[in-house]
Amino acid sequence: MSAPPLSEPLGATPGPDGTRFAVWSANAERMWLCLFDGARERRLELDRGAFGQFSTTVQDAGPGTRYGFRADGPFDPERGHRFDPAKLLVDPYAVTLDQPFHYNARLAAPRADGTDTAALMPKAVVTALPDLAAAPPPLFRPGGFIYEVAVRPFTHLHPEVPEALRGTVAALGHPAILDHLVRLGVDAVELMPITAWIDERHLPPLGLTNGWGYNPVAFMALDPRICPGGIGELAATVAALRSVGIGTILDVVFNHTGESDRFGPTLSLRGLDNATYFRHLTDGTLVNDAGTGNTLACEHPVTRRLILDTLRHFVGRAGVDGFRFDLAPILGRDAGGFSRDADLFRDIAGDPLLADRVMIAEPWDIGPGGYQLGQFPDGWLEWNDRYRDRVRRFWRGDRHMLGEMATALAGSSDVFSPPATRSVNFIAAHDGFSLGDLVAYAGKHNEANGEENRDGHGENFSWNHGHEGPTDDAGIVAARRHDVMALLATLFASRGTIMLTAGDEFGRSQNGNNNAYAQDNALTWLDWDGRDRELEAFTAELAATRRACPQIAGPELLSGEPGTDGLADALWLTPTGTPMTAPDWEAAEAGALAMVLSRDGRRVAVLLNRTADEVSFHLPGREAHTWELEADGCIRVNPRAIAIVTEGVP
C-alpha cells in the first residue's frame, strides 16, 4: 500500500497569507478548527478535500496562535468509530504544546454525557519551523557505546547544573554533563521518550506520575516539562553533544498512544479517526499488541506517513543520529503477521533524510509472533535480551553457561547472520533492575508502584549474595561491588554495540524496583553527590580500553578462520592455553575461558574467571610479540573477574 497522494502538508503551516491548517480523517463527517484566545474559543468548520483531508487557511492566525480540532461522525464502537465533537483534539502534527497533558477522568467521558474537554486539554501552538535540511552524517557507528538517559531524573539533582535547567533536554548540553559524558567515553546518548505523554489512568489516584514517557499522545511535540524550548532546545543540545563527538538517538514510541483501551481518554487520533489509526478485531475490539490498550495501525498509509514525517522532523530540524523504536515488531505487523519487508521499513530505507540514520529495534511485544530478535531489516540494530540473560546467568553461577557466555561475548552469531552482528548488548536498562540492584536483590520489590508487587519482570536472573537489599556487612558489600565490576567489564569486552543506562557506572539503585516508570522521585533521580567515583573511573577505563582495542568492538562476526594477517580472528582457549574441546564447553561448572582476538596483526585477550579462585592463564606466543606475563609465564585473573590484556611488540 503506497501513501495517499496528499500534496499539501498536514498540521499548521504559517505563510505570508496566514496559516493553513490541515488534518486527515477517512470517516469524520465534519471537522472544526478551534482557535483559542485565553479561554475564548472560536470555531471554524474545515473544508473537506480529496483523500480525507480537511483544511482551511486563516489570515489572523500566525505563529503563537493556540488551536485544536473537533470532529464529528458516527459513534459506533463495534465498527471502531468513536467520534465526539465535545472532545477537543490535539493535532497529530503539532510541534509545540502550551502545557503538558494531565489525566482527568472527564477526558474519557462517554459521548452521551456531552462533556466538553477544552479546559482540560493542552492546545497546539502554531510554530514557524525551519525547512527540512539534510543532517550531518551520524557520529554513532555500530560497535559504539550508547548511554541510555531518562532526561528528567538524569540531572534533577546535579549540583553543577543551574536549578532552572535541571531535568531538561537543555541540561544535557551543560559543560558539567558534557565533561561527564566525554570522560566516560560515550559515543551516543539515547534519550528515553521526550515527546508529549500522559499518565496512565490508574496513576493519579495512587499519587504517582509516569516519569518515563512511554505513553505518548503527540509524536512531534516535545513535552513542555522536559523540553520547554521545543525543537530549538533539542537542536541546540544535539549540536552541543556533537561538538564533543557524541551523537543523539531518540527513543520513540509508535506502537500505541496514551488513549489506551475503550475506557481511555479521547485526546487526538481516537477522536479524529479511531477506526483507521488503530488496529481492531472484527468485532471492533481494539488490538492490544503493546499491552497498553491500543495498537497503532502502522500498516496504514496515513499512519506510516505520520511516522515518517515525525522521523524526518527530528532529523531535518534537530540533526539527530537516529532512533530506538519501542516494541518495534508492531512497526512491521499487519493482519498477516510481522514482516521484515513491511512497507514502513522500506519507506524508511528509501527516504533521503532517513536512509543513513541509526535505527534500533526493541524486537519484542506481546502480539502474535511478538518475539522477533534477529529478524529486522539489514542495517537495523536490535536490543539483545538473550545477551542480557546469558551474561546474568553466567555470573550468577548457573550451570552449563560457558558456551552461552562465549556466544554472547562474540556477538551472538546464533541470532545474527554474517557478516556482522547487529546486537545491542546490555545487561541492565531502564526496564528492569539497575546494575547495582541486580547483585543485591534476588526478587523484585515494586511495592511503591501500588500494584502489590504484581508488575515488572518476575524472573530477573539476579542474586543477592546471601542478603536481600541494603546491608552493613562489609564482605557482602565488597562482593556485590566486585560483581558489578565484572559485569561492566563483560559488557565492554563484548562484540557489537554496547549500552549502559545512566547511573549504572556509579552504582545507582532503585531499592529493588524493576519497573520504576511511575517513580518520578528520589528513587530514580540520580544521586550525583553520593555516586561511587571509583566505580565511575573504572567504567571510564573500560571504555578507553575498548576504544584502544578494535578487535573487541567489531562488529564483524567471528569465524575462527585466518584473516589477511594470517591469524585467526578468534581463538577459544582453556586456561592452560589449549583449544577448547567439546567436553570443555559442556562441563557443567566451567567458569574460566580465554578469548584471543586478532585484527590487522594485533591481538587482545579477554580472560574470564567466574570461579571463587584465582586462575592462571597461559596464552599462545608468537615471534617478536609478548604478553604482559607474570614471572612464571602466566597471567593471573582474580576470582570473579575479567582481564583484558593486549599483546605488545618488544
Side-chain angles (χ1 to χ4, degrees):
M1 248 186 330
S2 60
L6 301 177
S7 58
E8 298 293 333
L10 296 173
T13 308
D17 299 323
T19 296
R20 180 180 182 273
F21 296 88
V23 66
W24 182 90
S25 177
N27 293 295
E29 296 169 353
R30 301 177 69 185
M31 189 83 68
W32 294 268
L33 169 68
C34 305
L35 302 174
F36 290 88
D37 181 4
R40 186 171 62 88
E41 177 182 348
R42 175 165 61 120
R43 298 188 191 183
L44 302 172
E45 187 160 1
L46 302 182
D47 300 321
R48 180 164 196 158
F51 308 110
Q53 291 183 82
F54 291 81
S55 65
T56 192
T57 298
V58 183
Q59 291 184 343
D60 61 345
T65 301
R66 297 159 61 242
Y67 73 98
F69 294 118
R70 295 180 188 268
D72 198 6
F75 187 83
D76 186 354
E78 291 187 1
R79 295 175 54 215
H81 300 311
R82 292 181 174 272
F83 290 101
D84 182 354
K87 302 292 191 297
L88 185 72
L89 307 173
V90 165
D91 181 2
Y93 278 75
V95 296
T96 307
L97 297 180
D98 66 349
Q99 63 178 334
F101 286 94
H102 296 287
Y103 184 82
N104 187 300
R106 288 180 290 167
L107 295 169
R111 173 171 174 144
D113 287 6
T115 301
D116 193 292
T117 61
L120 305 174
M121 286 288 292
K123 313 303 186 294
V125 181
V126 176
T127 304
L129 294 171
D131 292 337
L132 290 172
L139 291 175
F140 183 80
R141 292 290 183 268
F145 169 20
I146 294 174
Y147 188 70
E148 186 190 33
V149 173
V151 170
R152 177 169 161 79
F154 184 53
T155 58
H156 187 77
L157 299 177
H158 199 293
E160 297 179 55
V161 175
E163 189 169 349
L165 208 59
R166 295 176 190 171
T168 68
V169 168
L172 300 174
H174 187 273
I177 300 303
L178 296 178
D179 288 348
H180 177 75
L181 298 174
V182 170
R183 187 167 57 249
L184 204 58
V186 170
D187 293 312
V189 294
E190 182 177 297
L191 306 185
M192 287 166 59
I194 59 175
T195 58
W197 74 84
I198 192 169
D199 288 336
E200 292 82 352
R201 63 175 175 266
H202 72 279
L203 294 180
L206 297 171
L208 300 173
T209 58
N210 184 322
W212 282 0
Y214 291 97
N215 206 36
V217 180
F219 297 132
M220 297 187 197
L222 297 166
D223 197 289
R225 290 168 288 194
I226 58 174
C227 199
I231 192 69
E233 178 177 335
L234 176 61
T237 300
V238 170
L241 289 162
R242 176 171 276 270
S243 72
V244 294
I246 297 173
T248 304
I249 297 168
L250 300 185
D251 194 338
V252 289
V253 183
F254 296 122
N255 52 73
H256 78 285
T257 78
E259 290 167 297
S260 189
D261 57 19
R262 64 192 180 97
F263 300 110
T266 297
L267 308 171
S268 182
L269 298 181
R270 168 177 293 191
L272 291 170
D273 197 340
N274 181 72
T276 299
Y277 280 113
F278 300 104
R279 298 188 65 217
H280 293 76
L281 302 178
T282 55
D283 64 356
T285 301
L286 284 161
V287 171
N288 190 25
D289 290 349
T292 56
N294 63 42
T295 303
L296 274 179
C298 295
E299 73 274 23
H300 193 279
V302 173
T303 309
R304 291 197 341 256
R305 175 179 171 174
L306 174 58
I307 293 171
L308 288 166
D309 286 346
T310 300
L311 301 179
R312 290 167 57 83
H313 170 67
F314 288 122
V315 172
R317 296 192 174 101
V320 302
D321 277 29
F323 305 91
R324 180 265 187 189
F325 296 88
D326 185 63
L327 303 184
I330 289 171
L331 303 178
R333 183 182 291 126
D334 58 20
F338 173 85
S339 172
R340 64 181 297 163
D341 297 318
D343 289 335
L344 180 55
F345 296 144
R346 291 205 302 268
D347 290 344
I348 291 172
D351 190 284
L353 279 181
L354 304 178
D356 69 341
R357 297 296 105 175
V358 180
M359 301 291 168
I360 304 175
E362 181 185 39
W364 51 78
D365 60 36
I366 65 169
Y371 190 73
Q372 293 293 336
L373 178 64
Q375 301 304 311
F376 278 76
D378 293 341
W380 281 59
L381 302 178
E382 300 182 34
W383 273 31
N384 189 347
D385 64 325
R386 196 172 298 176
Y387 169 93
R388 176 198 66 197
D389 293 347
R390 283 168 163 165
V391 172
R392 291 183 178 191
R393 293 184 61 204
F394 176 82
W395 286 106
R396 187 173 69 170
D398 290 16
R399 292 160 56 89
H400 297 289
M401 288 303 299
L402 193 60
E404 298 270 325
M405 181 64 170
T407 300
L409 271 178
S412 299
S413 60
D414 61 334
V415 175
F416 301 103
S417 301
T421 181
R422 297 186 289 106
S423 182
V424 176
N425 301 316
F426 66 101
I427 300 171
H430 69 271
D431 186 10
F433 278 147
S434 70
L435 198 61
D437 286 352
L438 182 65
V439 301
Y441 294 89
K444 62 180 180 175
H445 294 270
N446 299 353
E447 291 81 6
N449 295 353
E451 299 183 46
E452 298 180 349
N453 205 32
R454 293 189 302 266
D455 61 310
H457 296 297
E459 176 53 83
N460 299 278
F461 302 117
S462 59
W463 60 103
N464 65 11
H465 292 83
H467 180 87
E468 190 77 351
T471 178
D472 294 328
D473 188 308
I476 292 177
V477 171
R480 289 174 176 175
R481 190 171 185 274
H482 199 72
D483 276 5
V484 168
M485 294 173 70
L487 290 165
L488 286 167
T490 302
L491 180 66
F492 281 87
S494 297
R495 199 166 190 81
T497 299
I498 62 170
M499 186 186 76
L500 184 72
T501 297
D504 278 350
E505 73 273 23
F506 52 70
R508 74 181 179 102
S509 174
Q510 294 177 165
N511 297 341
N513 191 317
N514 75 351
N515 190 32
Y517 77 102
Q519 301 298 324
D520 184 15
N521 50 47
L523 190 70
T524 57
W525 299 340
L526 295 193
D527 180 9
W528 291 90
D529 286 333
R531 68 191 194 268
D532 184 335
R533 293 177 183 269
E534 290 185 2
L535 188 62
E536 181 181 313
F538 175 75
T539 307
E541 290 174 8
L542 288 171
T545 298
R546 180 181 173 87
R547 283 194 171 189
C549 298
Q551 307 94 324
I552 293 177
E556 300 82 11
L557 282 169
L558 303 171
S559 66
E561 299 298 323
T564 56
D565 58 5
L567 299 171
D569 59 5
L571 293 175
W572 302 97
L573 307 174
T574 68
T576 62
T578 60
M580 292 284 290
T581 63
D584 294 324
W585 287 116
E586 294 166 4
E589 305 296 340
L593 174 72
M595 177 176 71
V596 180
L597 304 174
S598 174
R599 179 173 177 173
D600 298 329
R602 298 174 58 195
R603 294 199 298 181
V604 61
V606 178
L607 311 177
L608 285 80
N609 176 22
R610 80 163 184 193
T611 73
D613 301 311
E614 181 183 83
V615 172
S616 295
F617 285 86
H618 297 262
L619 296 177
R622 57 179 175 141
E623 186 177 354
H625 294 76
T626 60
W627 301 99
E628 294 185 9
L629 305 176
E630 303 289 342
D632 59 358
C634 68
I635 298 173
R636 296 191 182 93
V637 179
N638 291 329
R640 297 188 65 76
I642 283 185
I644 301 173
V645 294
T646 56
E647 185 185 50
V649 179

